């Protein structure tokens, strides 16, 4: 049986039929429009429901609410406000408040600008003056240099009545100034006006001469009056300049023990350094009542300085060079007033205005003795202290002379040698003396002439002794030999003090550091590894390279100006393969010199080494020859303690390779 499909749902209880096919809007429009009765019934139902939900209020409460509402909706005249016509004011937005903030910000900035420009700016401009000094802080004595005073007005107002006053260091000599200073016053400058944002400068040229290490301070003061001001302002600047060097080297040779009434000599040695600005100077000797300065005796000296003695104790040196010059000064103490005397020498530079400035001084101390027997001790030809080396032989000469008015009888002469490094087994005499401890003595038994020494009679005692070879250094020991002689009439009693007048000059020979240079030329190193290349012995037309090794050893004193040099033959080339534990190795193509520059070598660095390669390409003329590869190297240094110049030279090395146990042979080029 076929079923019929329906498109509606019917509710029999409520009498409602819902058409499923048609829309609800269509169904709504088909409903009948309610009449007035239906509307009244609907409103009545609504009112009843509202009454049930909101019961009636109390009358007093109603009146109170009504009064409150009236207060809200009444205007200023007591009339009710028409809410329908009421204007609603909008709140201010972001842009409103943004522009308000900007306005007040600009207003504040304007107020500050007004305050700054009228009050602060005026006072700031008055102090907006830059004032400073510039110039060299280290100079060599006599060097010409500039001081510059810089003035800059960075403000917006000009300044007037500008005055600059300078206080110079006492050892500063003015050569020129720019711009010109106030007439007859090189320390004062005046400017009528200095405009805003302008600058000026003062240049002062001059020299400083003084002792090494002396510092001079220049001070500049500036006073000025800013525009629209009634008060004066001041600025100040200072600069310190130090004399770092004098540009000259001095040395003094003299004997510190002198005999009253006897003529002695001081030899002053000097030379100009590379950076020197003093071309003449004056030497003055501080006068003393018992001191006599004598004229030159006409004795010839090598490298004698160009000088004149203006008067006793004043000498003028006319010219200088880097070559060392000597100037002898003869003097004597007329009598003995003190056991010790000091002589002060001053060295002064004369400027263009003939004004003298001291730049160096030296005090020499002397032991003055008064004795009829003059004893003079000489070691290795010198009466003064000097450095000696380990293993050296000390050759002594003791000169005695009777300077009294009568003969001297039974004279005993003793020499005292104080040192831990003398080898007494090597002592040799011209005339045998008596040894006891560290002394040697001679009497009439050894030297018959000492039985009676006539007036002005003199004699010489000669002997020699060696210094021990270098050993392990011991810093607790004094590495020196201190020597002096003394005499007595009759026997010298042991333990009895000897009067200083009976003593000779004292000589201290400090032992130089044990600097040693070893040099080896090799084809194979100590491990039998080849460090050379090419044929050996060398072959004509082919290149052979060798390695040169240098080693320096030093244990005692610190060394300065240490350098090793080697000049290569024209046929030997430097291969530029070098290494050094300290310092630098350089090769000069023009002079063909290899230099190992070390400079300072402290005691803590007791060993240093270097190596480099050389090459040889023999020509046909060299066939069947033994060729010299290195002619010998030299090492030199200055001992910091003894101030002696140490030097050593090595032997020449050939193609025989004398130092190479494997490659050594006849070394003949084939």
């Amino acid at each position: 049986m076929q079923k019929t499909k329906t498109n509606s749902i019917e509710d029999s209880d409520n009498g409602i039929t819902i058409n499923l096919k048609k829309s609800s809007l269509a169904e709504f429009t088909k409903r009948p429009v309610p009449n007035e009765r239906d509307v009244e019934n609907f409103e009545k139902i609504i009112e009843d429901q509202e009454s049930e939900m909101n019961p009636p209020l109390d009358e007093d409460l109603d009146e109170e609410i009504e009064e409150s509402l009236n207060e809200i909706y009444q205007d200023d005249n007591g009339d009710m406000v028409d809410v329908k016509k009421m204007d609603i004011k909008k709140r201010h937005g972001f842009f409103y408040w943004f522009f308000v903030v900007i306005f007040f910000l600009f207003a504040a900035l304007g107020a500050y600008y007004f305050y700054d420009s009228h009050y602060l700016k005026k006072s700031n401009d008055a102090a907006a003056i830059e004032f400073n000094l510039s110039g060299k802080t280290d100079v060599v004595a006599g060097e010409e240099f500039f001081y510059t005073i810089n003035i800059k007005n960075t403000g917006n107002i000009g300044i007037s009545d500008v005055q600059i006053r300078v206080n110079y260091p006492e050892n500063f000599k003015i050569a020129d100034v720019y711009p010109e200073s106030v007439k007859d016053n090189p320390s004062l400058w005046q400017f009528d006006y200095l405009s805003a944002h302008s600058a000026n400068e003062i240049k002062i040229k001059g020299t400083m001469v003084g002792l090494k290490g002396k510092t001079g301070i220049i001070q500049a003061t500036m006073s000025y009056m800013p525009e629209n001001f009634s008060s004066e302002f001041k600025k100040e600047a200072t600069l310190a300049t130090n004399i770092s060097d004098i540009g000259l080297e001095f040395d003094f040779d003299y004997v510190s023990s002198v005999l009253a009434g006897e003529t002695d000599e001081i030899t002053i040695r000097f030379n100009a350094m590379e950076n020197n600005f003093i071309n003449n100077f004056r030497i003055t000797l501080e006068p003393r009542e018992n001191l006599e300065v004598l004229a030159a005796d006409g004795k010839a000296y090598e490298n004698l300085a160009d000088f004149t003695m203006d008067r006793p104790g004043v000498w003028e040196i006319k010219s200088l060079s880097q070559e060392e010059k000597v100037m002898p000064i003869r003097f004597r103490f007329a009598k003995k007033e003190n056991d010790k005397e000091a002589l002060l020498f001053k060295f002064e530079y004369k400027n263009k205005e003939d004004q003298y400035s001291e730049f160096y001084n030296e005090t020499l101390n002397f032991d003055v003795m008064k004795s009829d027997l003059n004893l003079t001790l000489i070691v290795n030809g010198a009466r003064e202290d000097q450095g000696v080396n380990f293993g050296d032989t000390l050759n002594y000469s003791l000169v005695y002379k009777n300077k009294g008015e009568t003969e001297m009888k039974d004279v005993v002469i003793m020499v005292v040698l104080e040192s831990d490094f003398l080898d007494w087994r090597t002592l040799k005499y011209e005339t045998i003396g008596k040894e006891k401890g560290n002394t040697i003595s001679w009497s009439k038994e050894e030297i018959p002439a000492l039985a009676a020494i006539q007036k002005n009679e003199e004699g010489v005692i000669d002997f020699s002794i060696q210094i021990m070879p270098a050993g392990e250094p011991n810093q607790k020991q004094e590495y020196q030999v201190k020597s002096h002689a003394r005499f007595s009439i009759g026997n010298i009693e042991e333990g009895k003090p000897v009067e200083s007048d009976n003593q000779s000059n004292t000589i201290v020979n400090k032992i130089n550091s044990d600097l040693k240079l070893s040099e080896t030329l090799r084809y194979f190193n100590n491990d039998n590894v080849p460090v050379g290349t090419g044929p050996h012995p060398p072959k004509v037309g082919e290149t052979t390279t060798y390695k040169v090794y240098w080693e320096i050893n030093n244990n005692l004193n610190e060394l300065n100006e240490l350098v090793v040099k080697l000049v290569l033959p024209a046929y030997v080339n430097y291969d530029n393969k070098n290494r050094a534990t300290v310092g630098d190795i350089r090769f000069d193509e023009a002079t063909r010199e290899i230099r190992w520059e070390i400079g300072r070598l402290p005691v803590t660095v007791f060993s240093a080494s270097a190596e480099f390669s050389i090459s040889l390409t023999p020509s046909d003329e060299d066939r069947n020859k033994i060729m010299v590869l290195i002619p010998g190297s030299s090492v030199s240094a200055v001992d910091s303690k003894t101030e002696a110049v140490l030097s050593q030279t090595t032997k020449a090395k050939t193609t025989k390779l004398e130092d190479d146990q494997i490659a050594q042979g006849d070394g003949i080029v084939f």
Side-chain angles (χ1 to χ4, degrees), residues 122 126 157 160-161 224-233:
K122 186 176 179 181
I157 61 174
S160 59
D161 298 332
Y224 59 95
M225 186 84 71
E227 288 180 339
N228 304 323
F229 273 80
S230 59
S231 57
E232 185 181 71
F233 286 72

Side-chain angles (χ1 to χ4, degrees), residues 286-330:
E286 189 177 65
R288 305 181 70 87
E289 288 186 4
N290 65 327
L291 178 67
E292 297 178 7
V293 179
L294 309 174
D297 58 358
K299 180 181 175 181
Y301 290 87
E302 187 177 355
N303 294 329
L304 186 66
D306 183 11
F307 72 96
T308 58
M309 187 168 73
D310 295 346
R311 60 182 183 274
V314 179
W315 299 266
E316 292 281 352
I317 310 300
K318 298 179 180 180
S319 62
L320 291 168
S321 68
Q322 293 187 19
E323 182 183 13
E324 184 181 75
K325 299 293 183 179
V326 299
M327 191 188 84
I329 296 176
R330 299 174 69 244

Side-chain angles (χ1 to χ4, degrees), residues 132-143:
N132 59 69
L133 267 166
S134 61
K136 297 190 72 171
T137 55
D138 287 287
V139 296
V140 177
E143 177 183 2

